[in-house]
Amino acid sequence: MSIRILTIVGARPQFIKSAPVSRVFKNAGIQEFVIHTGQHYDPEMSAVFFEELDLPKPYAVLECGGLQRDAMIDKIVADLCPIITEVAPQYVLVFGDTNSTLAGALAAEKQGVPIIHVEAGLRSFNDEMPEEWNRIQTDEFSHILFTPSSAADQNIEDEGFLSPHQRVVNVGDTMFDAVQMFSPFARHRKAMGALEWFQKPFALATLHRMENVKHPERLKERISSLNELHLHGIPVWMPLHPSTRNEVEKEGVEIAFNTSPPVGYLEMLWAIQQCAIVITDSGGLQKEAYFLGKHCITLRNETEWVELVDIAANVLHPLGSTEPLSQKVRSMLNQPLPEETPYGRGDAASQIAQFLLEQGS
Ligand code: UDP
């Protein structure tokens, strides 16, 4: 009998992380039932990925979008429990660190189904981040913890919560798989702006973390440092996350650089390939920059992807930094990028499937 897995996704990075896994599961004959929690629901934050990445049609779409964290988690858990009973999977699989991740794990725990956590063990050691709480609790509940890096393995060991029924398996990063799988199809689209604009050196920027956008003073500081780069360094282009757009409008923050609505993954890969440097507070983008041979400046005080900082492919730009962003960009672009692959070989999805098949046999 084939393995049945109930996969929970709900936010943009999870659609991307899940794409290589779903493809490998299909080829390996693993039966997957995908539940979309509805955490991200705008077409450009959700539907575009199902189309572009050929993701499996969800078995069910829940409607948790727009709820506050606790209410969102409660609703997902309540909606998922009967689905878990109906599908009767061997495992519930969750990705990353969103509310949907933790809710998926809580529902599975409640129904007594073993949990698989892909991208386990990451820590920022910043307990202001809801993602940090989501990660820690999900790891504690999980039975199989697929980690992307040795730092993640070490974090799990240091916390000392592991019991004999939990397994930690370092498979590398499924986002590396996704970059390899989809970058040959990277493309420009008109909605990003004119093609000619992207043919000169530019900085690709994204900003969406609560710690940056949900505090007006911090949001103003981040935007004004990007304005400085745009006016005194190289032009900046930012696909604006819907919640950042809301905050910018609410606070009346002036943006001097180019923006577009959020773009699909193939467009994003194209923009990374074209740009001179990536400037971001996104977890995924820090790695994609490196996989595609670009320097990265991270608009945060710390990162979970410490390896890239250790090898100087990524430099943090903490809040309150006095160094202008234009100066930081200039000095980074003068440094060669190191050649190391800290996040596996780009076959994380195959290793995950292989491991599960071995458990089932
Ligand atoms: N991304 C995208 N379109 C955009 C902005 C980002 O496809 O307009 C992709 C990006 O390339 C990466 C993922 O979304 O693969 C990162 O998601 P996000 O920054 O929302 O979350 P995080 O990685 O910080 O959890």
Side-chain angles (χ1 to χ4, degrees):
M1 208 181 72
S2 74
I3 304 180
R4 289 162 78 84
I5 293 188
L6 190 78
T7 297
I8 316 298
V9 293
R12 174 168 70 186
Q14 292 166 333
F15 307 137
I16 295 162
K17 288 166 196 178
S18 71
V21 175
S22 292
R23 191 176 286 188
V24 169
F25 279 1
K26 192 172 167 198
N27 294 339
I30 294 175
Q31 261 192 300
E32 187 183 33
F33 301 78
V34 175
I35 308 299
H36 184 336
T37 64
Q39 186 174 343
H40 283 168
Y41 51 86
D42 292 332
E44 68 268 26
M45 296 293 288
S46 170
V48 65
F49 299 99
F50 282 81
E51 287 153 24
E52 282 193 342
L53 310 184
D54 197 23
L55 300 180
K57 189 173 173 324
Y59 178 79
V61 180
L62 315 179
E63 287 177 4
C64 77
L67 298 175
Q68 292 299 313
R69 182 170 185 269
D70 288 349
M72 184 182 287
I73 292 174
D74 287 350
K75 167 146 179 64
I76 300 173
V77 172
D79 289 358
L80 270 180
C81 286
I83 297 177
I84 295 176
T85 310
E86 189 177 294
V87 173
Q90 264 106 324
Y91 300 100
V92 168
L93 187 160
V94 295
F95 290 93
D97 56 19
T98 71
N99 296 342
S100 301
T101 312
L102 176 58
L106 288 169
E109 169 76 8
K110 229 172 151 175
Q111 301 302 99
V113 177
I115 301 153
I116 302 169
H117 186 199
V118 173
E119 212 186 70
L122 291 183
R123 300 290 183 265
S124 63
F125 302 100
N126 175 355
D127 59 17
E128 191 196 326
M129 295 175 71
E131 293 93 333
E132 186 76 350
W133 294 104
N134 294 341
R135 294 177 190 125
I136 293 174
Q137 289 191 59
T138 302
D139 282 345
E140 289 179 2
F141 285 130
S142 293
H143 297 71
I144 307 176
L145 296 90
F146 288 117
T147 59
S149 64
S150 0
D153 297 341
Q154 191 61 49
N155 290 336
I156 293 171
E157 199 178 318
D158 291 349
E159 282 172 24
F161 61 80
L162 281 183
S163 63
H165 71 272
Q166 291 176 294
R167 293 284 306 272
V168 180
V169 191
N170 186 329
V171 290
D173 184 10
T174 63
M175 284 194 125
F176 193 12
D177 301 25
V179 165
Q180 293 185 353
M181 198 174 270
F182 295 105
S183 51
F185 308 101
R187 64 185 178 195
H188 169 265
R189 282 240 161 132
K190 269 205 212 110
M192 303 166 80
L195 182 60
E196 300 72 50
W197 189 88
F198 293 92
Q199 283 160 351
K200 298 200 190 93
F202 72 96
L204 161 57
T206 74
L207 191 73
H208 77 287
R209 297 233 94 81
M210 263 176 67
E211 69 207 65
N212 281 325
V213 305
K214 292 279 180 192
H215 304 258
E217 289 319 308
R218 298 183 190 177
L219 177 66
K220 283 178 196 152
E221 180 183 329
R222 289 306 191 192
I223 297 289
S224 95
S225 66
L226 289 162
N227 285 344
E228 185 276 330
L229 173 63
H230 182 74
L231 299 171
H232 303 291
I234 53 173
V236 175
W237 174 72
M238 176 185 283
L240 253 188
H241 193 287
S243 51
T244 309
R245 180 177 293 282
N246 285 344
E247 296 300 321
V248 162
E249 285 170 3
K250 195 169 89 195
E251 301 301 329
V253 182
E254 289 293 330
I255 295 186
F257 49 84
N258 294 19
T259 63
S260 82
V263 298
Y265 185 58
L266 302 183
E267 289 72 24
M268 201 60 185
L269 290 175
W270 184 86
I272 303 169
Q273 289 168 352
Q274 301 301 312
C275 74
I277 189 163
V278 169
I279 302 181
T280 189
D281 62 359
S282 156
L285 208 49
Q286 292 173 51
K287 294 167 293 160
E288 288 162 351
Y290 184 68
F291 297 147
L292 292 168
K294 302 297 156 118
H295 291 89
C296 181
I297 295 178
T298 296
L299 300 174
R300 289 183 50 196
N301 298 352
E302 74 286 304
T303 178
E304 300 75 20
W305 304 98
V306 288
E307 300 77 9
L308 297 180
V309 174
D310 292 345
I311 61 173
N314 186 354
V315 169
L316 298 175
H317 192 71
L319 283 162
S321 219
T322 50
E323 187 183 11
L325 211 42
S326 60
Q327 193 172 311
K328 210 166 214 168
V329 166
R330 263 191 295 278
S331 58
M332 271 213 97
L333 290 179
N334 284 330
Q335 306 294 324
L337 263 183
E339 282 180 32
E340 289 175 45
T341 46
Y343 304 121
R345 300 186 298 266
D347 63 352
S350 305
Q351 288 194 55
I352 289 170
Q354 192 59 40
F355 183 86
L356 297 176
L357 289 169
E358 280 164 16
Q359 303 304 297
S361 60

